[in-house]
Amino acid sequence: MRSVWFHAASVGEFNTAKPILKELKKEFYITLTYFSPRAKDYLQKNNEYYHSLERIPFDLPFTVKRFEEKIKPEVILIVERELWPSLLLFTKSKKVLINAYAKGGVYERFITRRLDLILTRTKEDRERFERYGCKRVFACGNLKFVFDVRESKKLDMNIEGNRLIVAGSTHEGEEELILKVFRRIREALPDTKLIIAPRHISRAEHVLSLAKGFKACLRSSRAFDWDVLIVDTLGELFELYSVADVAFVGGTFLPVGGHNLLEPVYHGKPVVFGKNIKKVKDMADYILKNQAGYMAKDQEELFEIMLGLLSGSRSYNVLDIKGESESIKLCYMKKIREML
């Protein structure tokens, strides 16, 4: 079976690439490599997307060359920003960067010229890579618009008869913010519950300590009597959005740049986010243009928007993004197959 080396740094990049991995695995032997140690357990549990799993070798010329010789890939597929110098300079296989975005800088201008193919999120990214001197660059769209939807699991939690806010991919400072907003919402709508899924589950215990005054517990406890549930498990956020009445996506009230704003929208749920959307501007523009969610400039506006959505005094549009999702996936697969 023909071999492909597929590199995703961590859980986020892996989840973004799942639809592509699923298609490639039908035709090729996939060796998946990762960088983040915290990703290992999650990737092992999702082994239907690859044949073998390995930590990426140390980025030294002899280690990457030895690894390449061992797996003999026809192509090395790299997700987003993993521009390791030895990986790109000392391997012989064709190299493809997918879901690429350009940030600028001397190193990026130099190293991306070593790629045989770059598939970008936007036309602007494509034009920027072309200005660097990269030869084969195509804009296929953002892979985060593409979802690997499987049969939903039973979430097994006590939310019947309640309004529910799901705050996903939150960072330090955002949990305090959402808890303050939630406290005020409960005064007006006492049947409201809150789920917080911190971006890094290692922070779950700390986030739990912030929820003083509420019945709060960790998701792993499987408790049923709660007002605030803190998610300390991996891989459930996409499904949790499906049971939300309102979703908040983190990394947007801090200079992080945002996380996947489209996951709630896929499930027909309104999404609220802050002004820091540098990493997800195309998603935010799409959502705001189609009135599928709201941008809040501060805590007060976040409270007003969420209360309005939960009470029904604010409206939003339910979008069908499945067609666009399929079109983006087809573009990526067509260009990747041309390399093979």
Side-chain angles (χ1 to χ4, degrees):
M1 199 178 207
R2 298 159 72 194
S3 173
V4 168
W5 176 355
F6 200 104
H7 179 62
S10 190
V11 171
E13 291 81 1
F14 172 73
N15 284 336
T16 296
K18 274 181 179 179
I20 303 302
L21 280 164
K22 180 184 274 188
E23 292 298 315
L24 287 171
K25 191 170 183 264
K26 296 173 184 176
E27 305 172 45
F28 303 96
Y29 185 94
I30 306 294
T31 300
L32 177 68
T33 59
Y34 64 95
F35 174 73
S36 171
R38 77 180 185 89
K40 183 177 181 181
D41 288 345
Y42 181 73
L43 297 178
Q44 286 176 330
K45 291 173 185 174
N46 285 267
N47 58 9
E48 69 269 33
Y49 293 95
Y50 57 86
H51 294 90
S52 67
L53 177 68
E54 307 238 13
R55 181 85 185 271
I56 191 170
F58 287 113
D59 194 57
L60 298 170
F62 74 93
T63 53
V64 296
K65 286 166 72 175
R66 187 168 60 191
F67 187 79
E68 183 186 29
E69 288 167 6
K70 182 178 81 168
I71 66 172
K72 296 181 172 56
E74 292 191 25
V75 68
I76 303 170
L77 290 163
I78 302 163
V79 185
E80 295 183 355
R81 299 286 309 168
E82 290 290 278
L83 302 174
W84 294 96
S86 293
L87 174 64
L88 297 184
L89 294 171
F90 293 98
T91 51
K92 297 177 182 177
S93 308
K94 295 174 184 176
K95 288 166 276 290
V96 180
L97 189 66
I98 67 172
N99 213 41
Y101 58 96
K103 293 176 71 173
V106 174
Y107 175 71
E108 180 179 272
R109 289 170 182 270
F110 163 72
I111 203 70
T112 53
R113 292 181 206 158
R114 302 304 299 256
L115 293 156
D116 298 282
L117 174 66
I118 302 174
L119 302 178
T120 70
R121 297 179 178 185
T122 68
K123 290 179 181 178
E124 291 75 18
D125 289 311
R126 182 200 70 204
E127 290 166 0
R128 197 167 191 177
F129 282 118
E130 287 174 340
R131 288 198 296 271
Y132 295 169
C134 303
K135 299 300 182 189
R136 300 197 67 214
V137 190
F138 300 91
C140 281
N142 195 333
L143 273 176
K144 291 184 178 179
F145 278 68
V146 183
F147 296 92
D148 173 43
V149 181
R150 294 178 287 176
E151 186 177 347
S152 295
K153 303 171 188 173
K154 191 174 185 297
L155 286 169
D156 191 30
M157 56 177 60
N158 181 28
I159 54 174
E160 295 298 323
N162 293 97
R163 303 169 216 247
L164 180 64
I165 300 168
V166 175
S169 299
T170 57
H171 292 256
E172 187 168 358
E174 290 179 321
E175 294 95 3
E176 291 94 333
L177 173 74
I178 201 73
L179 283 163
K180 287 176 183 176
V181 168
F182 177 62
R183 194 177 299 276
R184 292 177 65 189
I185 287 173
R186 289 265 295 191
E187 292 173 4
L189 303 171
D191 62 341
T192 308
K193 290 177 179 274
L194 171 66
I195 296 175
I196 301 177
R199 180 67 174 175
H200 303 294
I201 62 170
S202 59
R203 298 185 55 250
E205 290 280 358
H206 169 67
V207 177
L208 181 66
S209 73
L210 301 174
K212 292 173 182 173
F214 296 111
K215 290 179 184 175
C217 65
L218 297 174
R219 171 65 170 148
S220 59
S221 73
R222 302 294 166 178
F224 271 73
D225 187 17
W226 52 270
D227 301 317
V228 178
L229 183 69
I230 311 301
V231 178
D232 60 340
T233 53
L234 284 169
E236 285 194 301
L237 181 56
F238 182 67
E239 289 176 327
L240 287 170
Y241 283 135
S242 73
V243 296
D245 292 291
V246 176
F248 169 82
V249 175
T252 58
F253 266 81
L254 296 168
V256 173
H259 299 293
N260 196 329
L261 304 178
L262 286 173
E263 289 185 340
V265 176
Y266 185 91
H267 294 293
K269 309 298 181 174
V271 60
V272 189
F273 48 91
K275 297 186 296 182
N276 289 291
I277 54 166
K278 181 174 65 174
K279 292 182 182 177
V280 292
K281 188 177 183 303
D282 51 346
M283 295 186 194
D285 290 344
Y286 176 82
I287 288 164
L288 295 173
K289 178 183 175 182
N290 291 283
Q291 300 179 339
Y294 292 85
M295 179 188 288
K297 67 178 183 293
D298 54 29
Q299 179 180 316
E300 185 62 29
E301 193 168 32
L302 181 63
F303 164 71
E304 291 172 1
I305 292 169
M306 284 193 160
L307 182 63
L309 288 166
L310 288 164
S311 65
S313 63
R314 279 185 184 257
S315 63
Y316 67 97
N317 290 330
V318 175
L319 305 181
D320 180 5
I321 62 175
K322 294 177 183 177
E324 186 163 358
S325 170
E326 188 63 21
S327 175
I328 291 169
K329 184 174 77 172
L330 288 172
C331 178
Y332 274 91
M333 290 308 303
K334 179 176 183 288
K335 296 300 179 185
I336 291 168
R337 285 193 177 103
E338 286 174 0
M339 290 296 294
L340 295 158

